[in-house]
Structures are given as structure tokens and as C-alpha cells.
């Protein structure tokens, strides 16, 4: 489980493949796969071990033309799902 | 009884198959298009009757569900193990070995060992060598390949046979391969496995078939040359992906799929074994959906119309330099 202050990165043994806008994630250990839409794919890309959740929210708020509070709620919900599924983990 | 040894060159990967004669005959019927090799074997495939293989250890990760059979991947050993009451198979794809024990003497065991097990392991062996499987029927049109991807029961065999009847040589009804850049489709024209449902939709086929499949076999094996013209070669550039879906609609209806939808439809057939190999497979499939357009097609019950619908969505052939 990750805390607010953690920098987030993909867990080892999670593979990501972009097609066009979307990204497909494959969890080799669980044998499951997920699909992220365009914004989700951008969130995934930003979680490269250098950023905290708040940094990702701020960047998405800058990049997308939607009410900041809506973006924040959506991005935090997505990060909650991705960390809940252990697709993202805290960077060391 | 002496085991027969036969060599097959499957798109540059040479298999040497050693098996009891009755098993070798079934494998040979499937791999006929690839028989003969001019190079030493890359892969040794060995079938034996009786239990010779040790049971799988504890540390395997299940990678595939099949009724009654367990397919496990052992990361450290690089080994794929299929463990079924009637068949045990151990495949070392990187090393290039497949060993299969047949533990029962009935037709269902022979079918599993020479179809499901062989196909699964062959896919793993080939993708460790840069040939990535697509679960798809395929036909040739003007030297290019029309791919018909779909899971079991989606109607890819039926649609492939309908296109073959419409004059497009059949390159395979269930499996094709692409290279890493997806510039070339490698066909797999083995025996076509035909269900009663397909026979009902293609009555001309019934004349070629006995009343029931061989004992214990779920489908009828049919030589591809009985189903129309044979392709001039076994490879070609991809032209289009058409994902069939069985439906009760009378009229076939194609719908464009974007690249994201097409990739997501192909991903469930990727076996999750060695991470670098799986990553290469995903990249090849992404290259494929990026290279050619994709459509979903409700095939309907009029197969000639479904075949015509596939031909109607085709983009103009790629310019040949």
C-alpha cells in the first residue's frame, strides 16, 4: 500500500503496451489485463518513479481542459485503483 | 513398434518429431505443409506412451485454463508444463524441446496431445524465436493476407471457409504468425478443424466428411486443399483484420474498430510466460493493429454475404515497390 508522499512507478512484471491513445496493462503474476483510456495512459506514463500523486494531478490539470477539482478527483480515483491492483507501487 | 522421426520447417524453425507411428501420422497430417527440412533441428518434439515425465514442481504459475488441464509456467526453469489426467507435456521453448507423455489410449487423448498441446507449445516455441501468434483464420487476396482473429466459437473458421469458397486461398483457420514488425504474416495451413455448426452452414463440405469425427475427436479434420485453392506461398503482408462474431442477424454488418479496440481484442490470447517474450508479442500485435485497418463483423447466417462484406471493406492493396 502506498502513502500520499510516495513516488509512484509500475511494479516489476507489469507490462504496458500502447496501441493508439490507450494503453493495455498486463499483470504477469495475476494473469490479468487492463485498458487505460487516453487520460489514463497519460497518468500511467507520468508515474515513472519521479512523481507523487499530487504531482501527477497538477500536470494533468495543466494538460487537460476540465475543471481542476473534477480532474483531481478522477486522477486520484484512478491512482487508487492502480495502486489497489498493485499495478503501481511506491518507488524506493 | 519403432518410433517415426519426421522433420518440419515451420517458417524457419525446424522441428524434429519423434513419435509412435499412430501419433506421428496425426501430427504429420497437421504439419504436412511444412514437411521436410534442409537444416539441423532447432526443436526436438518427442511423444511417448506411458509416464516418463516428472510431475510439475510447486513454483509454477497458472497461465492458461483448459477444461481439466492445468498449464503452468515455471519462470526460473523457462518451462511450460501441461498437466492433464491423460496427457503430460513439458516444453522448454528457449532450449527447444517438447516432451509429451500419452497416459491413455483413447481418441480424446490422441486429439489433446496432437492438437491443443502441440499448438500451445508450438506457439510458445515460435514466439521465443520472433514469430508471434495471432489466434486468427487467414486467407490470401492479391498476395496480401486477410486476418480473421477471434476466440474459439467466434466463427473464424466458418468465415475463413466462406472466403475460401469465394476464391481466396486459405492460409489457416485458427493460427497465424507475424514477425516483430508485423510486416509479414506467416500462415499455418494445418488441417482445418470443423464443427457440426460449420458443416451446417457450409453444406458443400458435408460431402467430404464421414458421418462423425474420429472417436473422441470434437471436430472433423479436413485437408485445406479440399476447401478451395491452395495458396501459392505461405506468407504475405497483412491487408486487414476482420474480427468475426456469430450473430443471428441476417445481414452481415462490418463496423470499423480503432487501434485501441483491436489491440484489446487480441490481448486475451497472449499467454503470460517469459516477460521479455510477452513484451515482444504485445509489441508485434500493436504493430499489426497499427499497420492495417480493423473491423468487427457480425457474420449473420448468409456466409456468402459475410464473405462479400469482408471483401467490400478491404482497403486498396498496398503499393508494391
Amino acid at each position: 500500500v502506498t502513502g500520499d508522499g510516495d513516488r509512484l512507478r509500475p511494479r516489476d512484471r507489469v507490462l504496458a503496451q500502447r496501441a493508439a491513445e490507450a494503453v493495455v496493462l498486463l499483470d504477469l503474476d495475476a494473469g490479468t489485463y487492463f485498458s487505460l483510456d487516453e487520460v489514463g495512459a497519460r497518468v500511467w506514463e507520468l508515474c515513472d518513479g519521479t512523481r507523487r500523486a499530487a504531482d501527477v494531478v497538477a500536470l494533468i490539470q495543466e494538460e487537460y481542459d476540465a475543471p481542476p477539482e473534477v480532474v483531481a478527483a478522477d486522477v486520484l480515483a484512478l491512482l487508487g485503483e492502480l495502486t489497489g491492483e498493485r499495478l503501481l507501487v511506491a518507488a524506493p | 513398434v519403432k518410433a517415426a522421426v519426421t522433420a518440419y520447417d515451420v517458417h524457419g524453425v525446424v522441428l524434429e518429431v519423434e513419435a509412435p507411428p499412430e501419433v506421428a501420422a496425426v501430427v504429420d497430417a497437421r504439419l504436412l505443409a511444412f514437411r521436410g527440412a534442409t537444416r539441423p533441428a532447432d526443436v526436438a518434439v518427442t511423444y511417448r506412451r506411458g509416464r516418463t515425465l516428472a510431475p510439475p514442481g510447486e513454483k509454477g504459475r497458472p497461465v492458461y485454463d483448459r477444461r481439466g488441464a492445468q498449464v503452468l509456467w515455471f519462470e526460473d526453469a523457462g518451462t511450460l508444463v501441461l498437466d492433464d489426467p491423460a496427457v503430460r507435456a513439458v516444453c522448454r521453448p528457449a532450449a527447444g524441446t517438447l516432451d509429451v507423455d500419452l497416459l491413455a489410449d483413447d481418441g480424446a487423448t490422441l486429439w489433446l496431445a496432437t492438437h491443443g498441446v502441440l499448438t500451445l507449445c508450438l506457439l510458445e516455441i515460435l514466439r521465443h524465436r520472433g514469430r508471434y501468434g495471432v489466434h486468427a483464420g487467414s486467407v490470401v487476396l492479391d498476395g496480401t493476407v486477410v486476418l480473421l482473429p477471434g476466440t474459439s466459437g467466434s466463427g473464424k473458421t466458418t468465415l475463413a471457409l466462406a472466403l475460401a469458397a469465394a476464391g481466396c486461398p486459405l492460409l489457416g483457420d485458427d493460427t497465424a504468425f507475424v514477425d516483430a514488425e508485423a510486416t509479414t504474416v506467416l500462415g499455418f495451413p494445418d488441417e482445418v478443424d470443423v464443427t457440426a455448426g460449420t458443416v451446417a452452414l457450409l453444406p458443400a463440405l458435408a460431402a467430404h466428411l464421414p458421418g462423425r469425427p474420429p472417436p473422441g475427436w470434437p471436430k472433423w479434420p479436413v485437408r485445406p486443399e479440399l476447401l478451395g485453392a491452395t495458396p501459392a506461398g505461405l506468407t504475405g503482408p497483412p491487408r486487414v483484420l476482420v474480427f468475426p462474431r456469430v450473430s443471428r442477424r441476417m445481414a452481415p454488418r462490418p463496423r470499423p474498430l480503432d487501434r485501441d479496440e483491436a489491440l484489446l481484442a487480441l490481448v486475451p490470447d497472449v499467454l503470460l510466460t517469459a516477460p521479455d517474450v510477452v513484451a515482444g508479442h504485445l509489441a508485434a500485435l500493436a504493430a499489426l493493429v497499427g499497420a492495417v485497418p480493423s473491423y468487427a463483423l457480425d457474420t449473420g447466417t448468409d456466409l456468402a454475404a459475410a464473405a462479400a462484406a469482408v471483401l467490400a471493406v478491404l482497403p486498396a492493396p498496398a503499393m508494391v515497390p
Side-chain angles (χ1 to χ4, degrees):
Chain A
V1 178
T2 56
D4 288 347
D6 290 327
R7 296 171 205 278
L8 299 170
R9 68 162 175 84
R11 181 165 55 80
D12 292 342
R13 304 174 53 73
V14 174
L15 301 176
Q17 177 66 53
R18 188 180 276 269
E21 277 85 38
V23 161
V24 174
L25 304 177
L26 276 182
D27 182 341
L28 291 173
D29 292 318
T32 49
Y33 59 95
F34 302 85
S35 173
L36 298 177
D37 65 6
E38 183 191 344
V39 182
R42 179 65 182 144
V43 168
W44 180 262
E45 191 176 80
L46 291 170
C47 293
D48 61 356
T50 68
R51 296 181 184 85
R52 299 176 178 86
D55 306 327
V56 175
V57 168
L59 281 164
I60 298 289
Q61 282 171 330
E62 272 174 37
E63 291 177 15
Y64 289 87
D65 188 18
E69 63 280 11
V70 173
V71 171
D74 287 354
V75 170
L76 289 174
L78 176 61
L79 289 174
E81 284 180 52
L82 292 170
T83 52
E85 295 284 352
R86 293 205 7 98
L87 299 166
L88 290 175
V89 294
Chain B
V1 186
K2 200 175 172 340
V5 182
T6 311
Y8 304 91
D9 186 336
V10 183
H11 297 298
V13 177
V14 175
L15 316 176
E16 211 164 66
V17 179
E18 180 175 354
E22 71 286 4
V23 180
V26 178
V27 173
D28 191 59
R30 288 200 64 196
L31 299 181
L32 198 57
F34 303 103
R35 195 200 276 164
T38 54
R39 296 191 303 104
D42 303 298
V43 179
V45 179
T46 310
Y47 285 91
R48 299 182 191 86
R49 291 215 173 265
R51 196 177 285 284
T52 72
L53 299 164
E58 294 292 309
K59 290 178 64 186
R61 173 161 61 79
V63 291
Y64 186 68
D65 292 321
R66 203 191 166 285
R67 287 182 301 269
Q70 202 180 18
V71 182
L72 300 167
W73 173 250
F74 293 79
E75 195 88 52
D76 297 342
T79 305
L80 192 66
V81 176
L82 180 135
D83 206 29
D84 176 89
V87 177
R88 180 174 289 163
V90 175
C91 178
R92 296 186 173 80
T97 63
L98 168 60
D99 292 275
V100 186
D101 284 353
L102 291 93
L103 305 172
D105 201 15
D106 55 90
T109 301
L110 184 60
W111 165 272
L112 176 61
T114 56
H115 289 75
V117 170
L118 182 62
T119 303
L120 186 85
C121 294
L122 202 53
L123 283 162
E124 195 59 33
I125 286 165
L126 262 71
R127 75 176 182 159
H128 271 72
R129 289 163 178 76
R131 291 106 171 133
Y132 298 99
V134 186
H135 195 195
S138 54
V139 299
V140 180
L141 186 72
D142 305 330
T144 62
V145 181
V146 176
L147 283 162
L148 311 166
T151 50
S152 303
S154 63
K156 57 187 179 306
T157 295
T158 309
L159 186 57
L161 299 194
L163 281 158
C168 301
L170 185 67
L171 207 51
D173 78 309
D174 191 67
T175 301
F177 299 90
V178 294
D179 62 345
E181 295 78 33
T183 49
T184 307
V185 179
L186 313 169
F188 194 67
D190 69 332
E191 275 183 320
V192 179
D193 297 316
V194 179
T195 61
T198 297
V199 175
L201 289 169
L202 291 165
L205 197 56
H208 295 300
L209 302 178
R212 39 181 79 232
W217 292 31
K219 302 181 186 184
W220 282 268
V222 182
R223 294 294 325 148
E225 56 271 19
L226 284 176
L227 301 165
T230 50
L234 299 183
T235 67
R239 175 87 163 268
V240 68
L241 298 170
V242 178
F243 294 77
R245 198 178 65 179
V246 173
S247 73
R248 291 184 170 278
R249 292 172 58 87
M250 284 303 290
R253 186 184 56 171
R255 176 174 73 83
L257 292 179
D258 67 31
R259 284 150 62 186
D260 296 324
E261 293 172 297
L263 181 63
L264 202 57
L266 293 174
V267 161
D269 283 315
V270 175
L271 209 60
L272 302 183
T273 62
D276 55 332
V277 173
V278 176
H281 199 170
L282 286 177
L285 295 178
L288 178 62
V289 301
V292 296
S294 296
Y295 296 85
L297 178 70
D298 285 345
T299 48
T301 50
D302 178 347
L303 288 177
V310 171
L311 299 177
V313 301
L314 288 180
M319 294 297 286
V320 179

